[in-house]
């Protein structure tokens, strides 16, 4: 996912923009660039590089800037090259543009308006910059930009500088997130709150179709026809400001260790003094009125949905189905008219889910987003949203958000249902169990060395919700260690995958369910009798001699404890291999392209 940052004011735009880009690094990128109004030279300068922001910093020889825009690029249109890095300028150099999003009709625009133009890059963004130039030949600059914006189809968050006016930066937003903050010394803009955190004390998230004029002393909002728009600023969230590694070597390890605190924060947020769940009644009524619950998500969030399915079915007695968002968007099953759709997304920006949401809204289904980002597209465009309060999750490999999603969905299902389950006490005990377990994290490191050293394949097996955790555990391991890992239903082994088991094949067996513990034990015997090496992770009540034993929990909530060793296994495996733990290759924190 690309990231954009802009600043205008009495501070040093170069420092503020670069700091904002560094705070967006977690989103994943392969090149970066800045456009600056150099205060000493009194001229605009553009710097861009393939690779990391540190590589970019080395080529910037502007000391201070009164205005600046910056960009981290995760390539969609055009290869990873310096030429394709942002900012892009119009042919006459007047407009300097950074862009997050995808313009679907950029070829049609190019042939209609820019036929005579020789373009420097393969990007849709350069088309946008030149479109502004074309209209500026006959219109005042704001009208020219708005005319260009009206012709764009697709998604954009744009920051635009005009060489003819160093006192202004323009911003525009449609489907890609963009926030503006009143900074201590000027105005700051960025793709998410992280980019604003250090420099703004209040902010707002732009709505689709908004155009903004930023000045050192403030900003004005307009619709695309030039009509002025009112706005109210929100206080900067304390949770956002807390996001740095602190004493931890990696964000991922910090976020694994934050899980007990976050579970307690969720209990504070969603239960009252009498331990009763505390959600908006409208949300609970929507769940109660539905005849069937459909859960849509991607990746780790989909795995959280797999854990939520039995929770909703048991606690609300309503059938629940889980769908992979990228599949659902194109292969929609038969849907009952009284269905409710719950969209789970840490970032709230996943394009696969946004595609689903657009269709669900067109078809009139009720939608509820469960997300970590209240200003995100999915939070704002669904009928309602529930926050998971996990605080900024920086590591690409999602850990605390997974646990937070399960905890919030557990409380939500409990609140909508009529079960007498002591949910608050159960989750509070789980927070303690995780805390206790994390004290022995080093033992997990030892297991990793003996199980995975020199291995290029691994398996996770489980039954029921243990299978759901096996899928998440397998994703964690493969996405940061790059060891090919498969999570599968233990009962499926003998139907084919057992053929892959040979001397020393590492298998992690998950056992937390009284109803299936013995069956999984026999799967373990099948594996060991063929030379496989099995490490058992289980709750002490059902997993005899588990190598990694966890305190007994309610079976429906066992994934919250079972996943923690799996998260650490992935972490230590990647550490042993010297991989970039927080920013694994090829991956982005939020996937905003389908
Ligand atoms: C999980 O470790 C991955 N980073 C990825 O699968 C992620 O869960 C997925 O892209 C969904 O993201 P979201 O929760 O922000 O929608």
């Amino acid at each position: 996912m690309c990231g954009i940052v802009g600043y205008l004011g009495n501070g040093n735009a170069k420092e503020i923009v670069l700091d904002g880009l560094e705070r967006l690094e977690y989103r994943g990128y392969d090149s970066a660039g800045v456009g600056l109004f150099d205060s000493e030279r009194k001229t605009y300068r553009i710097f861009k590089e393939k690779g990391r922001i540190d590589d970019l910093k080395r080529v910037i020889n502007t000391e201070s800037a009164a205005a600046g825009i910056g960009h981290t690029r995760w390539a969609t249109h055009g290869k990873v090259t310096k030429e394709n890095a942002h900012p892009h300028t119009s042919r006459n150099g007047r407009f300097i543009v950074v862009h997050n999003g995808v313009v679907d009709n950029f070829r049609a625009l190019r042939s209609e308006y820019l036929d005579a133009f020789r373009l420097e890059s393969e990007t849709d963004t350069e088309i946008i910059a030149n479109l502004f130039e074309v209209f500026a030949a006959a219109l005042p600059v704001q009208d020219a930009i708005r005319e260009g914006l009206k012709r764009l189809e697709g998604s954009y968050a744009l920051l635009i500088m005009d060489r003819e006016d160093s006192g202004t930066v323009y911003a525009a937003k449609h489907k890609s997130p963009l926030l503006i903050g009143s900074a201590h010394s000027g105005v700051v803009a960025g793709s998410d709150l992280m980019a604003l955190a250090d420099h703004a004390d209040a902010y707002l998230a732009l709505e689709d179709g908004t155009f903004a004029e930023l000045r050192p002393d403030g900003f004005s909002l307009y619709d695309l026809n030039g009509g002025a728009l009112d706005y109210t600023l929100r206080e900067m969230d304390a949770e956002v400001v807390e996001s740095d590694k602190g004493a931890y070597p990696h964000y991922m390890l910090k976020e694994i260790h934050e899980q007990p605190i976050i579970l307690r924060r969720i209990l504070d947020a969603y239960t009252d003094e009498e331990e009763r769940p505390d959600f908006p009644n409208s949300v609970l009524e929507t769940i109660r009125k539905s005849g069937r619950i459909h859960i849509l998500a991607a990746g780790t969030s989909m795995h959280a949905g797999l854990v939520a399915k039995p929770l909703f079915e048991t606690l609300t007695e309503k059938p629940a189905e889980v769908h992979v968002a990228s599949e659902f968007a194109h292969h929609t099953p038969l849907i009952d008219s009284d269905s409710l759709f719950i969209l789970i997304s840490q970032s709230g920006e996943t394009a696969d889910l946004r595609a689903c949401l657009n269709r669900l809204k067109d078809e009139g289904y009720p939608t509820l987003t469960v997300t970590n980002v209240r200003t995100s597209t999915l939070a704002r465009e669904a009928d309602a949203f529930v926050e998971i309060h996990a605080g900024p999750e920086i590591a690409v490999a999602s850990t605390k958000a997974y646990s937070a999603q399960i905890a919030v969905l557990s409380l939500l299902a409990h609140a909508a249902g009529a079960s007498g389950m002591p949910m608050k006490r159960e989750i509070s005990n789980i927070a303690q169990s995780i805390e206790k377990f994390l004290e022995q994290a080093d033992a997990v490191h030892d297991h990793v060395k003996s199980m995975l050293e020199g291995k290029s394949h691994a398996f996770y097996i489980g039954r029921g919700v243990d299978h759901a955790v096996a899928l998440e555990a397998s994703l964690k391991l493969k996405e940061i260690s790059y060891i090919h890992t498969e999570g599968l239903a233990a009962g499926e082994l003998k139907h084919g995958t057992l053929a892959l088991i040979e001397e020393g094949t590492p298998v992690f067996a998950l056992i937390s369910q009284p109803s299936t513990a013995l069956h999984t034990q026999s799967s373990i015997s099948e594996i060991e009798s063929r030379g496989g090496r099995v490490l058992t992770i289980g709750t002490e009540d059902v997993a005899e001699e588990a190598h990694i034993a966890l305190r007994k929990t309610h079976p429906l909530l066992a994934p919250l404890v079972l996943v923690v060793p799996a998260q650490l296994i992935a972490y230590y495996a990647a550490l042993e291999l010297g991989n970039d733990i927080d920013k694994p290759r090829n991956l982005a924190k939020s996937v905003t392209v389908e």
Side-chain angles (χ1 to χ4, degrees), residues 295-298 300-302 304-305 325 342-354 368-374 376-379 385-388 393 398 401-402 405 409 589-591:
I295 295 169
L296 302 181
T300 286
S301 297
M302 192 273 286
I342 298 178
L343 290 79
I344 308 173
S345 174
Q346 189 285 131
S347 64
E349 297 300 343
T350 298
D352 294 331
L353 274 164
R354 285 171 31 200
L368 169 66
T369 290
V370 173
T371 183
N372 199 26
V373 183
R374 79 157 70 90
S376 64
T377 303
L378 290 170
F385 75 91
V386 173
E387 270 192 276
I388 64 171
E393 186 177 67
S398 181
Y402 171 82
Q405 287 163 348
L409 289 160
K589 180 59 183 173
S590 174
V591 183

Side-chain angles (χ1 to χ4, degrees), residues 110 245 269 534:
R110 177 173 185 171
K245 275 189 293 202
V534 179

Side-chain angles (χ1 to χ4, degrees), residues 416-481:
S419 96
M421 180 178 168
M423 185 63 77
K424 179 166 186 174
R425 184 153 27 89
E426 291 288 355
I427 294 178
S428 176
N429 291 342
I430 284 170
Q432 257 182 351
S433 304
I434 295 172
E435 230 152 34
K436 189 93 192 81
F437 170 72
L438 286 171
E439 289 166 10
Q440 56 174 301
D442 290 347
V444 175
H445 197 168
D446 297 338
H447 283 306
V448 165
K449 286 180 201 161
S450 78
M451 284 290 284
L452 292 174
E453 193 156 3
K455 301 295 180 190
S456 47
H457 300 280
F459 296 88
Y460 270 95
I461 63 169
R463 278 179 165 84
V465 279
D466 293 345
H467 172 218
V469 179
L471 296 175
E472 172 54 16
S474 150
L475 174 60
K476 283 287 93 48
L477 182 55
K478 76 178 87 169
E479 73 173 321
I480 62 170
S481 73

